[in-house]
Amino acid sequence: MKKIQLAEDLQFSQIVHGHWRLTEWNLSPEELLSLMERCIEAGITTFDHADIYGNYMCEELFGQALALKPSLRQEIQIVTKCGIKLISENRPEHTIKSYDTSKEHIISSAENSLKKMNTDFVDVLLIHRPDPFMDPAETAEAFHILRKEGKVRHFGVSNFTPKQMEMLQSKYNGPLVTNQIELSVLHEQPFFDGTLNHLQKEKVRPMAWSPLAGGRLFKGNDEKAVRVKKALEKVASETEATSIDEVAYAWLLMHPSQIMPIVGSGKMNRIEAAVNAANLPLTREQWFYILQESMGKEVD
């Protein structure tokens, strides 16, 4: 599988395995380890997490699996996120859903993630959501401390606008290596709102969450979902793709910004569809046909 260069000393697999639904997969640590190993065999070496996933439980489940084979840590890249505070029985001190990008919270969240995942470092730590109360200098200070201590190799953001990303970058003396954004054939706005333009300009590689629109691509009965599904079926027949999700992934992978889709399934056949998409050739006309059906009109 193609590797994406995020920094001089950091590469991700083009397809990322996302564990935000890990608690729903009902896998034992042994079964999760087996799934991780099968992902690695398929070329997927990057795994995406966040402290809040699974009601603050997913990182721990991942860590239990990794503890069964610690040597696997040298073969993979781990991404995790912090900055959102959920109301949860696992965080009884939280009285309201809020954001926290203070130095203290970022450092304590990162250290807690390391403990839960049974690792000495994470490859990339992301700020999960833009915080209207963010002090970029204080957030950057937390980054500097974690990097100096070797606990986090690189940093990035998630769901940030170009201006929000520029604000944080102005205070951090290292690169913000990615912006993890919502992007799919049913959510095409980042192609037009400046998000991808900014990332291409700065040579920052985007990660795409919900690349299949959270299942809406298959189950949605709204006009847009039905229209786009028909377009994907047409292109699938033209390219001999085995499934419409293969086409949906290929549509993202074809873009010159080097998008890295996050596959959030625990089923290997669904993961393999994303892997196969890397070898699915789409023409420029097919790409624009899918975009047209997503927009509901021709490009201007």
Side-chain angles (χ1 to χ4, degrees), residues 32 47 76 90 102 135 153 156 158 193-194 204 217 230 293:
L32 178 56
F47 296 87
I76 65 175
N90 294 318
S102 66
D135 177 344
R153 295 178 63 205
S158 181
D193 64 10
V204 176
L217 192 59
K230 287 181 179 179
E293 297 307 292

Side-chain angles (χ1 to χ4, degrees), residues 51-269:
D51 58 348
I52 64 170
Y53 285 171
N55 198 21
Y56 293 97
M57 292 298 297
C58 287
E59 289 181 326
E60 186 171 346
L61 295 175
F62 180 83
Q64 290 171 3
L66 190 59
L68 297 174
K69 191 175 181 181
S71 62
L72 205 66
R73 179 66 185 93
Q74 303 307 313
E75 301 180 42
I76 65 175
Q77 304 83 46
I78 298 175
V79 182
T80 196
K81 312 175 198 71
C82 69
I84 300 177
K85 288 183 172 179
L86 296 182
I87 300 173
S88 167
E89 65 274 14
N90 294 318
R91 293 293 186 278
E93 68 276 16
H94 297 175
T95 59
I96 187 172
K97 183 179 180 182
S98 61
Y99 303 141
D100 191 342
T101 51
S102 66
K103 179 178 70 173
E104 291 77 11
H105 181 74
I106 292 171
I107 291 174
S108 64
S109 293
E111 291 175 342
N112 193 47
S113 292
L114 295 179
K115 182 179 179 180
K116 283 191 167 188
M117 292 193 288
N118 280 305
T119 183
D120 295 327
F121 69 96
V122 294
D123 295 277
V124 181
L125 177 68
L126 309 180
I127 300 299
H128 205 157
R129 288 276 178 181
D131 176 8
F133 202 67
M134 175 189 283
D135 177 344
E138 183 177 352
T139 299
E141 185 181 357
F143 288 0
H144 293 144
I145 291 170
L146 289 168
R147 184 177 65 178
K148 183 178 180 180
E149 293 178 348
K151 296 174 180 176
V152 180
R153 295 178 63 205
H154 292 282
F155 299 88
V157 296
S158 181
N159 305 296
F160 272 49
T161 67
K163 288 296 184 184
Q164 290 165 339
M165 196 170 178
E166 287 174 354
M167 178 184 72
L168 181 55
Q169 184 66 83
S170 71
K171 299 299 182 182
Y172 178 54
N173 64 13
L176 297 175
V177 298
T178 192
N179 187 5
Q180 188 177 123
I181 58 175
E182 182 180 5
L183 186 60
S184 72
V185 291
L186 290 177
H187 188 81
E188 77 286 355
Q189 291 89 333
F191 291 109
F192 300 100
D193 64 10
T195 300
L196 284 173
N197 301 115
H198 172 257
L199 295 175
Q200 284 181 276
K201 173 179 175 290
E202 299 299 326
K203 298 181 180 179
V204 176
R205 309 309 178 196
M207 301 173 73
W209 63 266
S210 200
L212 300 181
R216 180 176 157 220
L217 192 59
F218 305 99
K219 301 176 183 178
N221 55 14
D222 59 284
E223 182 181 342
K224 181 172 182 175
V226 171
R227 186 175 65 239
V228 171
K229 184 178 179 182
K230 287 181 179 179
L232 295 176
E233 289 170 344
K234 181 176 184 295
V235 174
S237 66
E238 294 170 352
T239 58
E240 299 184 352
T242 58
S243 62
I244 62 171
D245 45 340
E246 193 174 318
V247 179
Y249 285 122
W251 188 75
L252 294 175
L253 295 173
M254 184 178 174
H255 194 266
S257 63
Q258 300 189 50
I259 296 164
M260 296 171 285
I262 302 169
V263 182
S265 176
K267 298 178 180 179
M268 200 61 208
N269 65 317

